[in-house]
Amino acid sequence: MATKRLYKSQEKKICGVCGGIAEYLGIDPTLIRLAWAIITCCTVGTGLIAYFVCAIVMADRPSSEPDWDNMKRANEYTESDKEFNSYFEKEKQENRTKKDEE
């Protein structure tokens, strides 16, 4: 199972925090930005502090698409991987059997 990771968005307005959260949740970044603005107004600026803490804590998305694709693929384990690994497991077993016979 592939794991989702939370990164700052590369299409950012300030630091990319709201965009990154929206990408993670799969929703429109404008909704996150509006919700964050309302929370900031209602909590007398606490949302602003939380935003900058998130900006410091959240990692940047890997810079190039091939890196991002490789990272996604590294977290996936497919049927072809199982077949590939089973071939080498069989070969290991055969080698052990040959050594035991000798």
Side-chain angles (χ1 to χ4, degrees), residues 42-88:
C42 293
T43 60
V44 192
T46 305
L48 190 62
I49 294 168
Y51 184 90
F52 287 110
V53 168
C54 288
I56 292 168
V57 172
M58 287 172 63
D60 291 326
R61 181 175 300 282
S63 58
S64 66
E65 285 303 314
D67 289 343
W68 176 244
D69 290 338
N70 287 336
M71 193 159 63
K72 283 196 309 192
R73 247 180 285 147
N75 289 326
E76 296 173 357
Y77 190 73
T78 62
E79 286 299 317
S80 62
D81 293 332
K82 291 177 187 175
E83 292 172 15
F84 182 78
N85 289 337
S86 67
Y87 172 79
F88 286 104

Side-chain angles (χ1 to χ4, degrees), residues 5-77:
R5 297 189 180 225
L6 180 61
Y7 292 106
K8 291 185 222 174
S9 177
Q10 291 179 338
E11 297 178 26
K12 51 182 125 184
K13 297 290 182 189
I14 300 175
C15 294
V17 173
C18 293
I21 292 170
E23 288 172 6
Y24 183 81
L25 297 174
I27 60 176
D28 185 17
T30 304
L31 297 174
I32 299 295
R33 291 181 183 117
L34 286 172
W36 204 293
I38 291 168
I39 290 169
T40 300
C41 291
C42 293
T43 60
V44 192
T46 305
L48 190 62
I49 294 168
Y51 184 90
F52 287 110
V53 168
C54 288
I56 292 168
V57 172
M58 287 172 63
D60 291 326
R61 181 175 300 282
S63 58
S64 66
E65 285 303 314
D67 289 343
W68 176 244
D69 290 338
N70 287 336
M71 193 159 63
K72 283 196 309 192
R73 247 180 285 147
N75 289 326
E76 296 173 357
Y77 190 73

